Amino acid sequence: MTVNAEVEHSLHGEVATYAGGVHEVADGCLAYLQPNGGLGEANVGLVVGDGATLIIDTCWDHAQARRMLAAAAPWLHGNPITTVVNTHSNGDHWWGNAVMPAAATVITSAASRAAMGRENRLAIAAMTTAAGLAARLPLPQAIRSFVTDAHAEFGPFDFWRVRPRYPDRTFSGSLRLTVGNRTVDLVEVGPAHTPGDLMVFDRDRNVVFAGDILFIGQTPIMWEGPARNWIDALRLILDTRPAAIVPGHGPLATETDVTDLVSYFEWLDDSATRLCRNGIPPFDAAAQMLSSDTFTESRWARWRRPESLLAGVRATYRHVRGHRVRIHPLDMIATMRGIQKLGNRFAKDQRRQ
Ligand SMILES: [Zn+2]
């Protein structure tokens, strides 16, 4: 059974490019998809066992989490959520935890748990409110575009009402769980997208819930790296020859999507390492890479937000230079501003062609 929500528009107001709502990808394995997989439009997975359900990720705010639970309600009847898994520390995957049943156990990797403490919900809430107010003011163009972009990105979410609920249980490496009659393995594969990424494997139905190791139809954002870890995680998905692959953002994935990501990260790693050793600043390196023939002739060029490459270039530079890998929040903001600047330049170049 598949219940597609009547999602005609994404949360950001774009026309939906694929069906949202609950998809039963295998017996008792559900994917709740949120078109178009942009910022905060994260997918959720459910493994429905006999009398118990495991849920994978919980949305960015409470209203969004409640909509998701309402869509999944037909399956949850008689099979309550007993286990909540957060695939990583970004808020769009765990700030809905408080909406899950109080009796459920919340689990993540120890590295993600540590990183969750550094996610600043109130700063994002304040920035969203400020951006909403500032968007109405006469501002210089450079500041104006940053403010209106921030308002468009964060505006659909209510961060003030989010009550953080941190995981009760952590692990490192891997953890096998029994949910009703189902066996599920959690496998830590970070640091890659974030410090403690994990993926969930339903061994009975051979389904992978990949979290943000998979962004489909858009450029992945590598905050932490190294790219090698991300490539290893992608190979782990391919090794299981999965019957279904649920990404963290975007429509259901195919094996070709996963191999495209392997080649993208190999290119990113090789090119950024070389340009770093040649002394090219990261912004210029990312701009060069996006205008290279390898990029423009690749399938990656069709992914949305190619400028997100800059985060991966900066992360690769930190690894090549042997810097401490943990990202400072100010560094993250600098990266986001750089991504925006690169996006504007890239769009201008595209128009000229
Ligand atoms: Zn995400």
Side-chain angles (χ1 to χ4, degrees):
M1 179 169 50
T2 289
V3 175
N4 293 327
E6 288 176 26
V7 181
E8 288 174 3
H9 290 94
S10 74
L11 293 172
H12 296 290
E14 302 156 337
V15 173
T17 55
Y18 55 91
V22 180
H23 299 247
E24 187 157 21
V25 298
D27 180 30
C29 285
L30 314 179
Y32 175 80
L33 304 182
Q34 299 202 73
N36 288 327
L39 187 78
E41 294 168 342
N43 298 328
V44 173
L46 297 107
V47 177
V48 184
D50 212 359
T53 293
L54 174 143
I55 190 163
I56 301 143
D57 291 338
T58 62
C59 305
W60 214 4
D61 72 13
H62 290 192
Q64 198 185 6
R66 286 197 188 94
R67 282 198 300 276
M68 177 273 294
L69 287 182
W75 287 270
L76 298 177
H77 187 72
N79 308 304
I81 294 169
T82 51
T83 311
V84 178
V85 174
N86 297 131
T87 57
H88 62 286
S89 50
N90 287 161
D92 56 330
H93 297 261
W94 69 278
W95 284 357
N97 281 359
V99 177
M100 302 302 123
T105 305
V106 186
I107 306 176
T108 195
S109 67
S112 286
R113 172 63 189 88
M116 283 172 176
R118 300 192 291 273
E119 288 273 304
N120 196 333
R121 170 184 65 86
L122 293 176
I124 296 182
M127 190 176 83
T128 307
T129 302
L133 296 172
R136 296 184 214 141
L137 300 175
L139 294 169
Q141 185 50 38
I143 301 174
R144 175 158 206 88
S145 69
F146 186 69
V147 161
T148 44
D149 277 14
H151 183 54
E153 297 278 30
F154 299 112
F157 306 95
D158 181 357
F159 302 114
W160 291 114
R161 280 178 215 268
V162 169
R163 277 179 295 114
R165 175 179 173 188
Y166 292 98
D168 314 297
R169 182 178 175 192
T170 61
F171 72 98
S172 295
S174 63
L175 178 68
R176 173 157 288 191
L177 297 172
T178 305
V179 183
N181 52 338
R182 310 291 285 251
T183 304
V184 170
D185 286 333
L186 314 188
V187 180
E188 184 180 20
V189 292
H193 171 59
T194 62
D197 311 289
L198 68 88
M199 300 196 292
V200 180
F201 294 83
D202 178 305
R203 299 300 186 192
D204 304 319
R205 301 293 182 272
N206 201 15
V207 173
V208 184
F209 299 90
D212 282 4
I213 291 301
L214 291 183
F215 287 79
I216 302 303
Q218 58 191 301
T219 310
I221 191 153
M222 186 171 82
W223 293 115
E224 288 285 332
R228 280 288 126 208
N229 286 356
W230 203 316
I231 293 167
D232 288 347
L234 295 165
R235 294 229 161 96
L236 199 59
I237 297 173
L238 293 170
D239 287 348
T240 64
R241 306 299 318 270
I245 311 170
V246 181
H249 293 257
L252 296 172
T254 63
E255 286 187 30
T256 308
D257 292 323
V258 182
T259 51
D260 282 352
L261 278 158
V262 170
S263 55
Y264 176 81
F265 279 107
E266 282 173 342
W267 166 76
L268 192 167
D269 198 30
D270 291 350
S271 310
T273 300
R274 180 173 39 81
L275 292 163
C276 179
R277 294 203 171 119
N278 289 346
I280 311 293
F283 185 88
D284 298 340
Q288 270 186 39
M289 287 166 70
L290 290 183
S291 55
S292 69
D293 289 346
T294 312
F295 178 79
T296 50
E297 287 161 16
S298 71
R299 279 206 287 252
W300 328 313
R302 284 187 239 141
W303 295 343
R304 291 152 56 112
R305 301 207 172 207
E307 60 271 20
S308 296
L309 168 70
L310 179 61
V313 170
R314 289 180 66 136
T316 305
Y317 273 49
R318 284 197 302 274
H319 287 282
V320 171
R321 291 169 175 162
H323 292 174
R324 204 165 64 92
V325 172
R326 182 182 298 169
I327 316 175
H328 190 272
L330 288 178
D331 192 36
M332 227 160 157
I333 290 170
T335 301
M336 282 168 88
R337 292 200 69 161
I339 286 173
Q340 191 196 32
K341 197 168 128 200
L342 187 61
N344 290 342
R345 184 194 290 191
F346 190 73
K348 235 181 258 161
D349 289 350
Q350 297 284 90
R351 277 200 295 276
R352 238 183 264 133
Q353 278 166 15

